[in-house]
Amino acid sequence: GALPAVLCLCAAAWSCCAAGVAPERDQPCRPPPGWAPAGRVSPEHDVQLTLALRQQGTARLARLVRAVSDPRSPRYGRFLSLEQLRDLVQPSPATLMTVLKWLRGHGVESCSSVATLDFLQCHIMAERLLPGAEFHRYLKDQRSVVRSPLPYTIPKDLAEHVDFVGGLHRFPAERNVVSRAWAKEQAEPGQPHGQRAAFHLGVTPSVIRKRYNMTGGDVGLLPNNSQACAQFLEQYFHQADLAEFMQLFGSSFAHHSKVDQVVGHQGWGKAGLEASLDVEYIMSTGANISTWVFSNAGRHESQEPFLAWLLLLSNMSSLPWVHSVSYGDDEDSLSSAYLQRVNVEFMKAAARGLTVLFASGDDGAGCRRVPGGNHTFRPSFPASSPYVTTVGGTSFKNPFLVTTEVTDYISGGGFSNVFPMPDYQAAAVRSFLRSAAKLPPSSYYNSSGRAYPDLAALSDNYWVVTNRIPLPWVSGTSASTPVVAGMLALVNDRRLQRGQAPLGFVNPALYQLRERGHGEALYDVTQGCHLSCLDGAVQGQGFCAGPAWDPVTGWGTPNFPRLLRALLEA
């Protein structure tokens, strides 16, 4: 018999579209704003679906990640190879046999697996395979996707073997960098400590290097070290933009002017602002380090670009050590099964020694109206995963001087409603909750959830070259994330020079900095609040920054030489 896939395969409360609109159980999903229905596709239409097969050994994997990521552990830095990881998590023979038998029984032959054997990608006529599914085409800005607005069923005996089927419901998540004019900023006179602050007309690599105490010598030296950023949704960078950016802004430090490797499809359309920003700032902060770009455009109408990137991580034995990703979705728009499984994918990355950074988002604490008319804050995922390093955003207190930083009001932050607070951050977060001068009403957030961000960097008024034009005033945590990623790639460069392991999942080490006497490794940001719900209770204000860790800027922003010293000792 068939069992409704509410069990594990549809999105939360049938809200199978990334808009977070939860329809009634038997109602179709509504697509996110901007996606227009363009008619039903033929039931014979070939779609590409990703089956996430149930993994083994996930509890052991969690214990292993704790051991290899904690500087106090004797197993610190002893990471797994892809083959060792496969042996730990690969699905049971029963799972593989049951799923393959089901697929073959429906005439499905064209499937490919990944090295860890826990994903299958298949080209199938899905309406035959998944009763209930009904595929429609949706259009937005010359993009086309094929999705099913209706929930689907899978055979009962298969439910325990499959975590979810990707490519059915979720629409591509959008994250746009914003452009804000300085005129809106209120310049405050802030006296910089001990030095004359440099005047500047927007954030450039030299402003970042000055603020975070990086010298011309802080560049990569090793050929076997690399860093990467991931791009989605037809977002492309152009090599010519990168070369022009380095010509304009890179004269004071050794650098590469070319991306060494593009994994995936690099289109020839217009350059995307987000893609240009990522590449230019990871390569000017992590200067002279070999850089890869994972380009996952979602060329196939039924492909989920973010899932395609995760599959690449599970399939490549040699990868860059640091990954910067500016991507996010509302946590409540995703099914529990999907969230838990993607979280395991980040554990797999941590077990291999990869440092994965995500932007915390540009909506402050976020806002969601829940049935009954009340509001709650709205956490973002993957920012809320306990196995990634999440980067928030700051602004200069005086927008024209390289001086003290304050909160950037857009900086994403808050508490997960899905993932419990990990041990590594419990003391820091409880201290914040105890000592914060003012907290929002407790009904707005889950104070026992994973709290983010972990740290921050400047996210306001960047210069970017895109389509050969230098653009000012580009803002968002999409800017701060590649900056922090580049710095951690430089730390890896020094660690590898000294014969040490790369940093891997860095959060346990970050949260131990103060107790290990390295509190000065991060500049504490203690001023400013981020935005949230416009209602009578919170009036647009989320959390506020304060001493030590807070859910707006995390532990603060990097003081590079001190951070380098601290992480070399880890």
Side-chain angles (χ1 to χ4, degrees), residues 55-66 88-89 344 347 387:
Q55 296 151 316
Q56 300 189 103
T58 52
R60 240 183 95 203
L61 177 63
R63 289 195 297 273
L64 183 132
V65 169
R66 255 199 308 275
L88 181 60
V89 301
V344 173
M347 287 164 61
Y387 291 100

Side-chain angles (χ1 to χ4, degrees), residues 28-351:
C29 292
R30 282 171 285 167
W35 287 97
R40 176 146 184 211
V41 299
S42 156
E44 309 294 297
H45 184 78
D46 176 60
V47 293
Q48 181 183 306
L49 296 184
T50 302
L51 281 75
L53 307 186
R54 185 67 48 85
Q55 296 151 316
Q56 300 189 103
T58 52
R60 240 183 95 203
L61 177 63
R63 289 195 297 273
L64 183 132
V65 169
R66 255 199 308 275
V68 299
S69 309
D70 186 341
R72 296 171 301 198
S73 158
R75 295 200 58 191
Y76 180 61
R78 289 168 55 190
F79 304 121
L80 299 188
S81 67
L82 184 59
E83 294 69 30
Q84 290 169 317
L85 182 63
R86 179 197 62 212
D87 294 344
L88 181 60
V89 301
Q90 66 182 9
S92 69
T95 290
L96 293 169
M97 293 294 292
T98 307
V99 173
L100 289 172
K101 186 177 162 194
W102 173 61
L103 290 169
R104 287 202 183 111
H106 285 80
V108 178
E109 299 291 342
S110 57
C111 289
S112 58
S113 186
V114 293
T116 44
L117 305 178
D118 48 1
F119 284 107
L120 278 177
Q121 268 194 315
C122 304
H123 284 272
I124 50 184
M125 286 183 268
E127 289 192 22
R128 288 190 189 173
L129 194 68
L130 301 164
E134 187 181 283
F135 284 87
H136 294 247
R137 181 168 279 110
Y138 297 87
L139 301 175
K140 180 181 183 180
D141 304 335
Q142 302 174 316
R143 279 189 286 154
S144 160
V145 301
V146 169
R147 295 290 188 268
S148 169
L150 296 176
Y152 58 95
T153 59
I154 61 164
K156 203 176 193 170
D157 56 356
L158 218 75
E160 65 184 275
H161 299 294
V162 178
D163 285 334
F164 66 84
V165 180
L168 276 162
H169 296 310
R170 274 176 300 281
F171 282 73
E174 308 283 338
R175 170 156 295 174
N176 297 318
V177 286
V178 286
S179 194
R180 304 204 288 259
W182 280 318
K184 290 191 294 189
E185 304 287 348
Q186 290 302 307
E188 291 180 47
Q191 195 51 47
H193 349 272
Q195 60 180 58
R196 255 182 78 84
F199 181 78
H200 73 93
L201 285 171
V203 174
T204 63
S206 61
V207 168
I208 284 167
R209 287 178 163 263
K210 183 170 181 60
R211 169 60 189 155
Y212 299 134
N213 296 321
M214 301 173 73
T215 68
D218 288 321
V219 296
L221 299 172
L222 293 184
N224 66 338
N225 184 29
S226 53
Q227 59 190 3
C229 43
Q231 298 171 353
F232 309 103
L233 309 177
E234 303 284 348
Q235 274 273 352
Y236 303 121
F237 78 97
H238 286 179
Q239 297 278 17
D241 289 341
L242 176 62
E244 185 175 327
F245 179 85
M246 290 301 188
Q247 212 174 344
L248 284 171
F249 300 120
S251 58
S252 63
F253 51 88
H255 59 263
H256 291 192
S257 293
K258 203 168 184 313
V259 166
D260 286 324
Q261 196 163 334
V262 176
V263 181
H265 174 87
Q266 168 65 6
W268 298 108
K270 273 178 66 179
L273 186 57
E274 168 112 26
S276 307
L277 174 70
D278 284 347
V279 171
E280 287 163 11
Y281 280 90
I282 198 171
M283 290 186 69
S284 54
T285 313
N288 219 37
I289 292 175
S290 173
T291 303
W292 297 22
V293 170
F294 286 82
S295 187
N296 307 278
R299 305 293 296 166
H300 194 285
E301 288 181 313
S302 61
Q303 196 180 37
E304 288 185 43
F306 179 65
L307 215 47
W309 173 72
L310 285 178
L311 263 66
L312 284 170
L313 294 191
S314 271
N315 213 22
M316 299 178 71
S317 55
S318 177
L319 283 166
W321 292 115
V322 174
H323 296 256
S324 171
V325 194
S326 301
Y327 169 92
D329 232 334
D330 295 326
E331 200 182 61
D332 59 77
S333 75
L334 302 164
S335 72
S336 170
Y338 180 86
L339 290 163
Q340 298 293 350
R341 174 56 187 265
V342 172
N343 196 47
V344 173
E345 297 309 303
F346 296 136
M347 287 164 61
K348 285 163 59 180

Side-chain angles (χ1 to χ4, degrees), residues 417-435:
N417 290 318
V418 175
F419 301 105
M421 189 183 299
D423 291 346
Y424 63 74
Q425 68 170 186
V429 179
R430 288 196 191 114
S431 171
F432 166 79
L433 292 169
R434 252 195 333 268
S435 60

Side-chain angles (χ1 to χ4, degrees), residues 386-428:
Y387 291 100
V388 303
T389 300
T390 303
V391 184
T394 61
S395 309
F396 282 121
K397 185 169 181 176
N398 181 323
F400 301 105
L401 297 179
V402 181
T403 174
T404 318
E405 290 162 82
V406 295
T407 294
D408 186 348
Y409 65 91
I410 60 158
S411 180
F415 294 78
S416 172
N417 290 318
V418 175
F419 301 105
M421 189 183 299
D423 291 346
Y424 63 74
Q425 68 170 186

Side-chain angles (χ1 to χ4, degrees), residues 400-535:
F400 301 105
L401 297 179
V402 181
T403 174
T404 318
E405 290 162 82
V406 295
T407 294
D408 186 348
Y409 65 91
I410 60 158
S411 180
F415 294 78
S416 172
N417 290 318
V418 175
F419 301 105
M421 189 183 299
D423 291 346
Y424 63 74
Q425 68 170 186
V429 179
R430 288 196 191 114
S431 171
F432 166 79
L433 292 169
R434 252 195 333 268
S435 60
K438 184 184 175 202
L439 285 172
S442 59
S443 60
Y444 277 70
Y445 62 100
N446 168 29
S447 62
S448 61
R450 149 61 161 152
Y452 68 95
D454 301 301
L455 76 174
L458 288 162
S459 56
D460 194 20
N461 290 341
Y462 275 64
W463 280 91
V464 178
V465 174
T466 190
N467 299 302
R468 307 303 295 272
I469 300 165
L471 293 178
W473 304 323
V474 177
S475 300
T477 54
S478 303
S480 52
T481 308
V483 164
V484 173
M487 288 191 215
L488 294 181
L490 285 176
V491 173
N492 271 345
D493 204 272
R494 300 292 182 275
R495 285 181 64 91
L496 293 166
Q497 282 177 49
R498 294 164 63 146
Q500 295 172 287
L503 286 167
F505 174 50
V506 75
N507 288 14
L510 276 183
Y511 282 80
Q512 289 170 29
L513 287 174
R514 284 203 171 200
E515 66 188 65
R516 289 179 32 235
H518 292 294
E520 73 293 342
L522 294 160
Y523 289 117
D524 198 358
V525 178
T526 59
Q527 285 180 279
C529 309
H530 62 187
L531 52 89
S532 75
C533 302
L534 282 168
D535 64 18

